[in-house]
Amino acid sequence: SQQGEEDPQALSIQEGENATMNCSYKTSINNLQWYRQNSGRGLVHLILIRSNEREKHSGRLRVTLDTSKKSSSLLITASRAADTASYFCATDYGNNRLAFGKGNQVVVIP
Amino acid sequence: EAGVAQSPRYKIIEKRQSVAFWCNPISGHATLYWYQQILGQGPKLLIQFQNNGVVDDSQLPKDRFSAERLKGVDSTLKIQPAKLEDSAVYLCASSARQPEAFFGQGTRLTVV
C-alpha cells in the first residue's frame, strides 16, 4: 500500500503554540500534499511539495520532505482556534493518484 | 469558480438495497476521483478517471460497486447491494493538470 501514515494522530495545543505533524510513506513519490478537513466537510488542499524539494512555506505552514527517510512534516506556527481540524498527508505515486494517511486530529484551545 | 458538487449530502438505506451518488467536477477538470472515507480513517481511493477513461480502479469492490463518467464530465457511483460496512462518507474530487485535488462536501451513507 502507498498510504502515508501520520504521527501523532491526536494533538491538543494552546492557541499561539506551534503544531507539528509527521507523515511516512513506503515507495517513491512524485509529490506529497497536505490537506485539512473540518468536521463533516470535504478536504481542502493546503500545500504541495515535490520530490526534488526539501522545504516549502505557505503563510503559517511549513512542510519538509526527506525522501531518503520517506517522511514529511507539517508545521503550523502560531496556531489559531480556526486551525482545529484533521490534517492528512497524501502521496502522489504517479498519474496524480493520491494515497492518504489516517490523519492527525488537531485541537487548538483558545 | 464553482466547486465540486455532490448529491445527495446524506443517505440512509437498508442493507441489500442499492444506492447511487452523483458528482459534478469543476469545469475543465479532466481527472475525477471517488474516495471512501470510513469514520476515523483517511480517504481510500476507489476509482480515478482521466476524462471518461479509468486510470485506477484497483481498490473498487467490483462485485458491488460500479462507477461511470459519461462524456468525461459528471460521474455516478453505485453500490448494489449495500452492506453494513459500506457506511462511510463518499468523496468526489477533481483536478486539472496540476496535481492538487479539489474535493466536494461528500455524501454520508448509513447502511442499517
Side-chain angles (χ1 to χ4, degrees):
Chain A
S1 168
Q2 193 39 255
Q3 277 193 336
E5 294 191 2
E6 292 89 348
D7 173 48
Q9 295 202 341
L11 187 63
S12 183
I13 57 174
Q14 295 287 333
E15 200 167 30
E17 293 181 338
N18 296 342
T20 301
M21 290 154 269
N22 298 306
C23 168
S24 60
Y25 56 93
K26 296 185 173 73
T27 61
S28 62
I29 60 173
N30 289 339
N31 63 74
L32 186 144
Q33 304 174 35
W34 285 90
Y35 288 79
R36 183 187 72 225
Q37 185 177 38
N38 291 91
S39 180
R41 310 290 290 273
L43 285 82
V44 175
H45 180 265
L46 294 176
I47 193 166
L48 176 151
I49 186 164
R50 300 190 186 279
S51 59
N52 61 353
E53 297 175 313
R54 292 297 167 258
E55 187 172 313
K56 203 161 182 182
H57 297 256
S58 176
R60 294 183 296 112
L61 304 178
R62 172 179 169 257
V63 64
T64 63
L65 179 65
D66 186 335
T67 53
S68 66
K69 295 181 179 178
K70 292 186 171 57
S71 67
S72 173
S73 68
L74 174 68
L75 169 67
I76 305 174
T77 60
S79 62
R80 304 167 182 169
D83 295 329
T84 294
S86 293
Y87 292 83
F88 296 88
C89 72
T91 50
D92 178 348
Y93 55 102
N95 281 332
N96 289 349
R97 289 175 295 175
L98 294 178
F100 283 82
K102 296 176 184 174
N104 263 285
Q105 189 163 1
V106 175
V107 175
V108 181
I109 302 165
Chain B
E1 177 182 73
V4 176
Q6 287 188 249
S7 67
R9 283 297 313 277
Y10 306 93
K11 190 74 177 179
I12 301 174
I13 61 171
E14 295 182 351
K15 59 184 179 184
R16 292 188 288 274
Q17 285 187 324
S18 63
V19 64
F21 312 126
W22 175 81
C23 173
N24 190 18
I26 293 173
S27 176
H29 281 194
T31 305
L32 185 147
Y33 310 83
W34 283 103
Y35 284 88
Q36 179 193 59
Q37 186 177 23
I38 292 172
L39 186 64
Q41 298 183 17
K44 182 182 89 171
L45 179 66
L46 293 177
I47 189 167
Q48 177 184 347
F49 292 96
Q50 179 77 14
N51 296 309
N52 59 353
V54 176
V55 174
D56 187 345
D57 64 356
S58 58
Q59 298 190 93
L60 186 74
K62 298 181 185 65
D63 57 334
R64 297 184 301 105
F65 286 63
S66 65
E68 60 182 8
R69 190 182 185 196
L70 299 176
K71 300 180 182 178
V73 182
D74 54 352
S75 175
T76 55
L77 176 69
K78 297 179 182 178
I79 307 175
Q80 182 179 6
K83 294 184 176 180
L84 296 177
E85 58 261 37
D86 298 332
S87 294
V89 176
Y90 290 84
L91 295 163
C92 179
S94 69
S95 66
R97 290 180 188 168
Q98 63 273 22
E100 299 94 315
F102 295 82
F103 282 80
Q105 297 278 44
T107 296
R108 183 177 299 277
L109 173 67
T110 303
V111 183
V112 298

